[in-house]
Amino acid sequence: MEHAPIEIDGGVLDDLRAAIRGKVMVQESIRLLYSLDGSAYQVVPDVVVVPEDEVDVVRAVIIAGEEDIPITPRGSGTGLVGGALNVGICLDMKNLNSVSVNGDSATVGSGVSRGSLDRVLGKHGKMLGPNPSVGGFCSVGGMLANNAGGSRSVKYGSMVDNVTRITFVDGTGRMITLPDDESIGQDIMELTGLIDREKLPKVAKNASGYRLDRVGSIGETHKLLVGSEGTLGVILSADLNIIDEPKDKMLFVLGYDSAYTAMANCPKVVGTNPSACEFIDHHILSQADLGLDPGIDCILLVEYDDSLQERATMLRSIITGTIVAESDDQKEMDWWWDHRNAALHHSLIAVDKHKRTPHMIDDAAVPVDRMGDMLHILDGINKKYGTSIITFGHVGSGNIHARLEMDNTKTDAIKEIAGAYCREISKLGGTITAEHGDGFASSEFIEMQYGGQNYDAFKAAKRYFDPYGILNPDKKITEKSTIVEHLSAVRTFHGGKMALSKEAY
Ligand SMILES: Cc1cc2nc3c(=O)[nH]c(=O)nc-3n(C[C@H](O)[C@H](O)[C@H](O)COP(=O)(O)OP(=O)(O)OC[C@H]3O[C@@H](n4cnc5c(N)ncnc54)[C@H](O)[C@@H]3O)c2cc1C
């Protein structure tokens, strides 16, 4: 993209500059930088605002409302579905970076990176449960807004399970703290009464739509903001539950002769209460030098962080695969985990750049005992469309990341596959996105997944908190099809096998 004209009025820029202590930037080079994230999409914002503090956020939202300009919060831009990309004002939240630790809770600014948070918590011998594989780069605001998970979600849940209070600015510029504000809380409780529970996904992790289903009482109203992708409010800070860092861990690497065998074994593996249960398929294994027996088609990484010997004995009694490696040595465990965390990288370098598609079927989750059915659906897609699909992910939570490999100029087929996949996943009681969010990739399928009654409840929530429709428009609630609309020019990745030498650990 060579030239990106600014669509908003110079007077609005003057208003922003007069009202805000932080930065207001319109240079094309800056706007292009913020036009990308971890996804395949690109949208150039008209102006990038970097609030200095909470008051700046309120002022920016009020100006956006008065001028009818979209405003979209951005954390670290690691999202995989274009969640932080939009026209209008891009709000970079990085300066809201305070952390204070109080026993088993931490009050954290939304701009704090997970890496910084980990460092502070580590000094207290604590950690946050959710751990997206992107590592320390993502922000707490982005993690909350996407209901992020990661490998440890199988034991510690997603962000929605680990947050007790959220302060945010809604689309009218109100600064609200939930669940403290009981008046707004009562209104949210009324919205929960509109939900058709029969149509809700029956999964451990879900980042699709609005999580009205997780608001069970007036003390949980803040959970509506989790997974809302900046469409209901700009999160300023949150109180997060933190837990003691485990003293010891043990990792088992299990080999299987097929993905179906591995998936069939998963429910029993999950029954041993692992702190992680992750899957890597043969496509990815072929990109990594792990020294595995050629008969091994795929592996599970199963980690425990408590009662190690007892759990190891349980695991040995139920596995149908073979034990490839078993270790409680931190360096060796790190070596295996780095390969797992690089799975997305491995999956990309394995694919010709013209066959890299957007992340649109890559984050579904189903009940753990239906993962074999999920593989059948993926095999059906390959058969019908002549595609190939790379799989890995958080199978302990029923969440398989599926990278579709096909001619990425065939956008009609991409849309058709995504729609069909969503329908089939819904039939299994699953969700189209477990942790990455809807963004441009699956917002158009939310109504199909949840049904009309739930979608109407979501629309009511959107109207309540964002009556002018300025907060990250066309995400979550949209009449448009956005799945291929904003795809950027194909990006270049440098191929080659990833060599993680054990000696370097
Ligand atoms: C290699 C790789 C691996 C990944 N692995 C995982 C994984 O294992 N698990 C997982 O859950 N995710 C994973 N992700 C996806 C992503 O990193 C996470 O969802 C992360 O939490 C996004 O945080 P961010 O700060 O980068 O958000 P951004 O990309 O900046 O934004 C994401 C969304 O959050 C909204 N947002 C950001 N800040 C705020 C705020 N203050 N208030 C309101 N809304 C806000 C944005 O508007 C946008 O809709 C991975 C991504 C990559 C590139």
Side-chain angles (χ1 to χ4, degrees), residues 190-228:
E190 277 183 33
L191 292 172
T192 66
L194 304 175
I195 286 289
D196 172 4
R197 293 192 181 267
E198 285 293 304
K199 293 282 288 178
L200 297 175
K202 319 282 183 289
V203 286
K205 284 163 66 179
N206 183 10
S208 182
Y210 293 138
R211 300 305 309 275
L212 278 167
D213 60 304
R214 289 303 307 271
V215 181
S217 68
I218 194 91
E220 294 181 316
T221 49
H222 59 290
K223 298 199 175 196
L224 175 56
L225 267 292
V226 184
S228 65

Side-chain angles (χ1 to χ4, degrees), residues 72-80 83-84 93 110 132-134 138-139 141-143 145-146 148-150 229-230 233-235 344 394 435-436 472:
T72 299
R74 179 181 175 105
S76 306
T78 67
L80 293 167
M93 302 298 291
S110 64
S133 311
V134 71
C138 56
S139 73
M143 289 173 73
N146 279 355
E229 294 179 53
V234 180
I235 297 170
L344 180 60
H394 315 298
E435 57 175 22
H436 294 168
N472 205 0

Side-chain angles (χ1 to χ4, degrees), residues 207 386 445 475:
F445 302 125
K475 310 283 170 52

Side-chain angles (χ1 to χ4, degrees), residues 265 268-270 272 304 313-321:
N265 203 191
K268 285 203 166 149
V269 173
V270 172
T272 64
Y304 298 100
T313 306
M314 281 167 75
L315 181 74
R316 286 194 189 93
S317 72
I318 55 93
I319 51 175
T320 57

Side-chain angles (χ1 to χ4, degrees), residues 316-437:
R316 286 194 189 93
S317 72
I318 55 93
I319 51 175
T320 57
T322 53
I323 297 179
V324 170
E326 173 181 340
S327 178
D328 57 6
D329 175 70
Q330 193 58 51
K331 285 183 181 170
E332 187 170 357
M333 291 191 287
D334 286 347
W335 183 79
W336 283 103
W337 278 121
D338 282 355
H339 279 96
R340 158 60 191 97
N341 292 337
L344 180 60
H345 169 82
H346 286 315
S347 74
L348 286 171
I349 61 176
V351 180
D352 179 272
K353 67 180 177 180
H354 299 293
K355 292 191 168 180
R356 289 174 198 149
T357 56
H359 294 259
M360 81 307 176
I361 63 161
D362 82 318
D363 189 36
V366 294
V368 180
D369 60 356
R370 304 305 301 269
M371 281 190 297
D373 298 313
M374 196 174 183
L375 292 179
H376 277 299
I377 297 171
L378 294 171
D379 282 345
I381 291 173
N382 284 337
K383 208 166 161 196
K384 181 167 178 190
Y385 294 92
T387 53
S388 170
I389 296 175
I390 300 169
T391 50
F392 60 97
H394 315 298
V395 290
S397 311
N399 180 201
I400 298 182
H401 296 319
R403 295 288 303 134
L404 178 69
E405 213 184 319
M406 66 178 281
D407 180 348
N408 56 25
T409 60
K410 294 192 172 163
T411 48
D412 285 346
I414 288 175
K415 275 168 83 163
E416 189 179 307
I417 290 171
Y421 190 57
C422 178
R423 257 190 306 278
E424 295 303 315
I425 290 296
S426 298
K427 283 185 203 157
L428 297 179
T431 176
I432 192 70
T433 173
E435 57 175 22
H436 294 168

